[in-house]
Amino acid sequence: MTEIFSSLYGQNDAQGPPGSSALGFGPGKPPPPPTQNQVSMSVQIQHQLGDEGPALRKPGAMNEPFYLLREIPVGNELTGNTNLITHYSLEHAYNKFCGKKVKEKLSSFLPELPGMIDSPGSQDGSALRSLIEKPPVCGNSFSPLTGALLTGFRLHTGPLPEPYRLMHIQPPKKKSKHKHRHHRPQDPIPPETPSDSDHKKKKKKKDDDPDRKKKKKDKKKKKNRHSPDHPGLTGSQPNSSNSLR
Amino acid sequence: MAEKFDNLEEHLEKFVENIRQLGIIVSDFQPSSQTGLNQKLNFMITGLQDIEKCRQQLHDINVPLEAFEYIDQGRNPQLYTKECLERALAKNEQVKGKIDTMTKFKSLLISELGKVFPEEMARYKAIHGDDPPS
């Protein structure tokens, strides 16, 4: 007997990890027969399943002839069946935003805000996303500037350099039929300082003005020629005057 | 609630107006404008102090990040509200459709099962009663 046992279990140390030898994975060794413990465990599991079968089922299904028939769950009062907009009293908001046409641009939402706000914030570094990703340093108190600190704000006289000049100019407003001009104090006047672009603009204006005046004069002359109330005709129009006489 | 927003809005408008006037002074600076410039700079600091005070009243206000994306693109943030309402309504209609379809299916299934398994369906109705239409 001891020889049998030793042949089965005695060579474990020489063969390697005990797990593999217990399972019989050693070379040339048949798998060990199931022990009595394992057999009893399987019987116990079956008994457990048989005895506790009803207990594993939900109480709602135990006493009913239909297997796995559950109780109907208590329904919510608020489901997708109700119109949630009327339920939360959002009709006014819905009509306001969805009934009318909402303008696309940010300047229509903030008409009094100066600057070019309709352009994307990523272009000039004014994006709110950057404020979230890199929040500014908070916690320091705001103290007014003293005389010594204000000396740092002594500026050179004269206009701003070219790249910084357009920052405060508002975008061109659409021409409205009813011209209500609300002049703000110290509105930015178009820069009078000499520059190439201004010269060109001024030249164009000068060229246009005499042309416009000539055109207006010509129109007036034509109107006067054809009007019956005109007192007399000049010599430049002999045919019409002669035909009447 | 609206008063807190009105207060903040007022302070922000004053602040922006002050900055705009500061920009005008700087755009064509003259030596006589120095005192005005200094005054505007101090107004800017007091404006920031006032806005800082408003912050305490609004600590429980949450703004959706998607609205920020609209602003960053130069679009009206009211479009975000509009799209939220439209999406909610569309989803509401979709779910209502599903509920209606499932209700019809249930009633049809019960009627057909009643034809094929009358005894079982009678027992089912006895257990659950006449289920009200959901």
Side-chain angles (χ1 to χ4, degrees):
Chain A
M1 284 294 287
T2 54
E3 289 176 357
I4 293 167
F5 277 113
S6 63
S7 66
L8 285 171
Y9 301 109
Q11 298 174 6
N12 290 342
D13 296 334
Q15 289 185 359
S20 60
S21 60
L23 290 170
F25 291 144
K29 226 180 183 179
T35 59
Q36 287 181 356
N37 289 335
Q38 290 176 358
V39 171
S40 64
M41 280 293 290
S42 63
V43 171
Q44 280 176 11
I45 288 165
Q46 283 174 7
H47 280 306
Q48 279 174 6
L49 282 173
D51 292 336
E52 296 175 4
L56 291 173
R57 294 182 204 162
K58 292 193 176 179
M62 276 178 69
N63 298 322
E64 296 168 279
F66 301 105
Y67 184 63
L68 289 179
L69 181 65
R70 296 178 185 180
E71 290 177 2
I72 293 172
V74 178
N76 285 331
E77 289 180 1
L78 188 65
T79 60
N81 216 11
T82 57
N83 188 342
L84 296 171
I85 287 176
T86 52
H87 179 80
Y88 288 108
S89 307
L90 290 171
E91 298 100 332
H92 179 70
Y94 182 80
N95 290 330
K96 181 185 168 187
F97 291 107
C98 301
K100 301 171 192 174
K101 191 178 176 183
V102 178
K103 290 182 183 175
E104 182 77 21
K105 291 185 180 178
L106 185 58
S107 55
S108 59
F109 181 66
L110 298 168
E112 296 180 357
L113 204 65
M116 306 288 288
I117 59 172
D118 291 332
S119 55
S122 55
Q123 287 180 0
D124 54 0
S126 63
L128 291 169
R129 176 65 67 174
S130 60
L131 201 66
I132 295 162
E133 289 168 359
K134 292 179 187 177
V137 177
C138 295
N140 297 330
S141 59
F142 295 103
S143 52
L145 296 170
T146 59
L149 291 168
L150 283 168
T151 54
F153 290 96
R154 284 182 187 167
L155 306 179
H156 294 288
T157 56
L160 276 176
E162 190 80 31
Y164 306 108
R165 207 173 281 173
L166 294 171
M167 279 174 72
H168 62 276
I169 293 174
Q170 293 192 12
K173 290 180 184 176
K174 289 181 183 177
K175 290 181 184 177
S176 58
K177 288 180 182 178
H178 303 284
K179 292 181 181 178
H180 296 289
R181 293 182 181 179
H182 298 284
H183 288 288
R184 283 185 184 173
Q186 301 177 1
D187 250 350
I189 302 160
E192 295 173 353
T193 53
S195 65
D196 293 336
S197 59
D198 291 336
H199 274 302
K200 285 178 186 174
K201 283 179 186 175
K202 283 182 182 175
K203 278 182 184 175
K204 278 184 183 175
K205 280 184 182 176
K206 283 179 183 175
D207 291 332
D208 289 337
D209 285 339
D211 290 336
R212 283 182 187 173
K213 284 180 183 174
K214 282 180 185 176
K215 283 180 184 175
K216 281 182 182 176
K217 283 180 183 175
D218 290 336
K219 281 183 184 176
K220 278 184 182 176
K221 283 180 184 175
K222 282 179 185 175
K223 279 183 183 176
N224 291 332
R225 281 175 199 170
H226 295 290
S227 65
D229 296 332
H230 189 70
L233 296 169
T234 58
S236 60
Q237 298 168 3
N239 293 328
S240 59
S241 59
N242 289 330
S243 64
L244 285 171
R245 288 179 187 170
Chain B
M1 179 80 170
E3 291 175 358
K4 292 186 280 186
F5 289 120
D6 291 340
N7 197 20
L8 176 66
E9 197 176 328
E10 190 185 332
H11 286 303
L12 284 170
E13 280 177 0
K14 283 181 185 173
F15 184 76
V16 167
E17 179 60 24
N18 185 52
I19 296 288
R20 193 186 70 84
Q21 291 176 8
L22 195 67
I24 290 164
I25 293 170
V26 168
S27 64
D28 193 3
F29 187 74
Q30 303 298 326
S32 56
S33 315
Q34 185 65 51
T35 50
L37 176 72
N38 295 344
Q39 192 184 25
K40 295 291 176 193
L41 288 167
N42 280 317
F43 279 156
M44 188 173 72
I45 291 165
T46 53
L48 287 169
Q49 284 172 340
D50 293 336
I51 292 166
E52 177 76 12
K53 285 172 193 170
C54 293
R55 187 184 158 194
Q56 294 165 6
Q57 296 174 347
L58 299 163
H59 64 276
D60 56 340
I61 302 295
N62 295 315
V63 180
L65 286 175
E66 290 176 1
F68 283 2
E69 288 178 11
Y70 278 70
I71 295 167
D72 286 343
Q73 291 166 15
R75 297 175 70 198
N76 193 344
Q78 288 178 336
L79 289 170
Y80 169 71
T81 311
K82 180 186 172 184
E83 285 176 20
C84 274
L85 284 165
E86 285 173 348
R87 268 186 276 152
L89 189 67
K91 193 73 183 178
N92 197 172
E93 286 174 353
Q94 190 185 21
V95 172
K96 186 179 185 305
K98 283 182 183 176
I99 291 169
D100 289 342
T101 309
M102 294 301 280
T103 309
K104 284 178 189 172
F105 174 69
K106 181 187 173 184
S107 59
L108 192 64
L109 185 66
I110 285 172
S111 69
E112 291 298 320
L113 282 171
K115 291 174 190 172
V116 180
F117 303 111
E119 292 176 0
E120 285 80 2
M121 286 312 295
R123 278 188 222 165
Y124 174 81
K125 283 178 185 176
I127 291 164
H128 283 291
D130 290 327
D131 296 328
S134 59

